Amino acid sequence: DAGVTQSPTHLIKTRGQQVTLRCSPKSGHDTVSWYQQALGQGPQFIFQYYEEEERQRGNFPDRFSGHQFPNYSSELNVNALLLGDSALYLCASSPRGLRETQYFGPGTRLLVL
Amino acid sequence: AQTVTQSQPEMSVQEAETVTLSCTYDTSENNYYLFWYKQPPSRQMILVIRQEAYKQQNATENRFSVNFQKAAKSFSLKISDSQLGDTAMYFCAFTSPYSGGGADGLTFGKGTHLIIQP
């Protein structure tokens, strides 16, 4: 049984560009959450999706947007990249009925130059 | 807003020893969930243990157990018979679905870097 998968593993962008990160949840999971983890810090919650809608959002600007597809996979989009957006982006999925319990993918390392 | 505090930036113990990592949190909610996650150098975040606030019994998972003190808002992790593979960053996390409109974003502490010495 495959766990949470994310693509790409690494990405390099320049300031002002746009980026899309992808996540596939574990089988049987319908909820996807996204986190940003700066170096040496704990993850910060960006937003959570289930039933193809954004259900909760952390303290992140509108440059961060997302989408959930009917197969429960999800995308995180970041527009107008800033140097400060350089971080590890983690996706987590949760099973139906246990939305609070989150299982993480390996992350995407984004470097903005 | 909820906060999670881990006061030990780094800890180091010998293999086979027992180690306890501290976590305190602040919330006005009565029902919530607490977690410990492990993040080895490979960076994959792994769920170690889960505690439901309305359950009095402390959660255990093999060598990992917690000491949950609800009144003190304390949630420590004990690792028994520590192994070299336990070397990792350990994060304490909190969520209360009752305050987020039914959604469950996790609030994390800053982490404790645990080093197991051979």
Side-chain angles (χ1 to χ4, degrees):
Chain A
D1 178 27
V4 180
T5 60
Q6 293 185 242
S7 63
T9 56
H10 295 83
L11 204 51
I12 300 175
K13 292 286 188 179
T14 56
R15 280 179 299 173
Q17 285 189 314
Q18 179 264 344
V19 68
T20 297
L21 310 182
R22 295 176 176 82
C23 172
S24 292
K26 286 185 68 167
S27 176
H29 290 195
D30 67 345
T31 299
V32 173
S33 304
W34 287 93
Y35 294 82
Q36 180 194 67
Q37 186 178 22
L39 203 60
Q41 301 293 317
Q44 298 288 317
F45 174 67
I46 303 175
F47 41 52
Q48 184 177 81
Y49 277 84
Y50 59 90
E51 295 177 353
E52 300 179 49
E53 289 190 19
E54 181 183 300
R55 299 296 179 171
Q56 188 186 22
R57 189 178 185 92
N59 189 25
F60 279 81
D62 291 345
R63 298 187 298 108
F64 290 77
S65 63
H67 189 77
Q68 186 179 36
F69 299 94
N71 67 352
Y72 309 119
S73 67
S74 176
E75 288 181 350
L76 164 65
N77 300 292
V78 186
N79 294 322
L81 284 167
L82 304 173
L83 296 180
D85 295 332
S86 295
L88 179 66
Y89 288 84
L90 296 168
C91 169
S93 71
S94 311
R96 286 185 189 86
L98 282 174
R99 195 161 284 127
E100 75 287 340
T101 303
Q102 301 183 19
Y103 298 87
F104 284 80
T108 294
R109 174 73 66 188
L110 172 65
L111 178 60
V112 182
L113 301 175
Chain B
Q2 290 85 4
T3 59
V4 177
T5 302
Q6 294 180 249
S7 58
Q8 304 151 313
E10 185 170 289
M11 295 186 72
S12 180
V13 299
Q14 297 294 124
E15 195 176 5
E17 288 183 347
T18 294
V19 59
T20 299
L21 309 183
S22 301
C23 172
T24 58
Y25 57 94
D26 187 25
T27 183
S28 58
E29 298 293 329
N30 191 46
N31 294 317
Y32 47 86
Y33 299 87
L34 293 159
F35 304 87
W36 279 98
Y37 283 89
K38 168 185 176 181
Q39 190 175 38
S42 66
R43 86 187 182 206
Q44 177 105 31
M45 191 81 75
I46 300 164
L47 176 61
V48 174
I49 204 161
R50 170 183 181 273
Q51 176 77 45
E52 300 171 55
Y54 61 86
K55 288 190 175 179
Q56 300 283 353
Q57 188 173 4
N58 289 323
T60 63
E61 287 288 342
N62 301 314
R63 297 182 296 107
F64 298 88
S65 61
V66 298
N67 182 6
F68 173 49
Q69 301 290 327
K70 191 173 184 180
K73 295 181 182 175
S74 171
F75 183 61
S76 61
L77 174 70
K78 186 172 83 170
I79 305 174
S80 303
D81 185 27
S82 58
Q83 301 174 0
L84 296 179
D86 295 333
T87 292
M89 284 293 292
Y90 285 81
F91 292 98
C92 178
F94 168 100
T95 189
S96 175
Y98 309 97
S99 63
D104 300 273
L106 293 169
T107 299
F108 284 84
K110 291 188 175 181
T112 296
H113 185 206
L114 176 64
I115 301 167
I116 309 298
Q117 305 276 8

